[in-house]
Amino acid sequence: MIRIPPKIYVFDLDGVIYRGSEPLPHASEVVSKLRHRGRAVYFLTNNSTRSRDDYASKLSGMGIPAKPSDIMTSAYATALFLGHKHLDGASAYVVGEDGIREELESVGIKVLDSDADSADYVVAGLDRSFNYDKLAAAQRLIIGGATFVATNRDPTFPVENGMVLPGGGSIVSAIETASGTAPIVVGKPEPYCVQM
């Protein structure tokens, strides 16, 4: 039996291509060799802190040329998920960073401030400025009827020097506990990210 290698390769980013701002050894060489052999290379990350444009710039700066269309993030998948459900637009309170906000706005979702009276969705991901006020706003909006959506449930994410930090799943768990509501999860290992 002849085994034909796959034509498409999908790489995770955090801990696979780089750790924090440090590219992992041989990552750029592997991607370059695959592309030279005519293989399609894509990137899939649960890290929702950056937009696809930002990730493309980061990868290119590490010697791995990339376009936003080469990248799927849990933030963008969440935006697509909500955008497909509400073609006329919807509103969301975001517990997360710029990546989620930018991707939601790119599909017409209105991003609300914490003082909003109501929201269609509360979207949560990694938020390195998470605090009690954000938790309370998310709880209030979910109890008030907003649908709770998580970009992912990763409890940690890898950074430089072999260290790990709390991930988006840690924040999602806090909101779930406070609101008594389990989220709809969009990122890996759920299939939506990969399907998109």
Side-chain angles (χ1 to χ4, degrees), residues 11 30-31 43 46 62-64 67-69 72 93 96 100 109 114 116 123 125 129 146 149 170 174 181 193-194:
F11 290 93
V30 168
V31 171
F43 305 95
N46 265 352
M62 292 180 170
I64 303 171
K67 304 180 300 288
S69 59
M72 175 59 73
Y93 172 63
I100 301 173
I109 304 294
S114 62
V123 177
S129 64
V149 178
S170 299
T181 302
C193 258
V194 176

Side-chain angles (χ1 to χ4, degrees), residues 1 5 13 22 27-28 34 90 93 121 133 136 165 183 186:
M1 174 188 269
L13 292 175
E22 295 176 358
S28 64
L34 287 171
Y93 172 63
Y121 297 95
D133 290 340
L165 293 174
V186 176

Side-chain angles (χ1 to χ4, degrees), residues 50-113:
R50 296 171 179 251
S51 68
R52 292 172 305 132
D53 288 332
D54 292 336
Y55 279 114
S57 294
K58 180 174 181 171
L59 288 168
S60 295
M62 292 180 170
I64 303 171
K67 304 180 300 288
S69 59
D70 297 333
I71 300 163
M72 175 59 73
T73 71
S74 63
Y76 184 57
T78 299
L80 293 176
F81 178 76
L82 298 184
H84 288 151
K85 292 177 79 63
H86 294 277
L87 298 178
D88 58 343
S91 63
Y93 172 63
V94 173
V95 179
E97 297 187 15
D98 289 342
I100 301 173
R101 287 181 189 84
E102 290 174 25
E103 298 293 8
L104 289 176
E105 289 171 345
S106 77
V107 299
I109 304 294
K110 181 179 179 186
V111 176
L112 304 172
D113 294 326

Side-chain angles (χ1 to χ4, degrees), residues 155-178:
T156 61
F157 74 96
V159 294
E160 298 88 347
N161 302 316
M163 304 289 293
V164 294
L165 293 174
S170 299
I171 292 163
V172 169
S173 292
I175 296 169
E176 180 176 6
T177 299

Side-chain angles (χ1 to χ4, degrees), residues 11 16-18 23-33 62-64:
F11 290 93
V16 176
I17 298 295
Y18 53 72
L24 289 173
H26 310 294
S28 64
E29 292 91 343
V30 168
V31 171
S32 179
K33 284 181 182 179
M62 292 180 170
I64 303 171

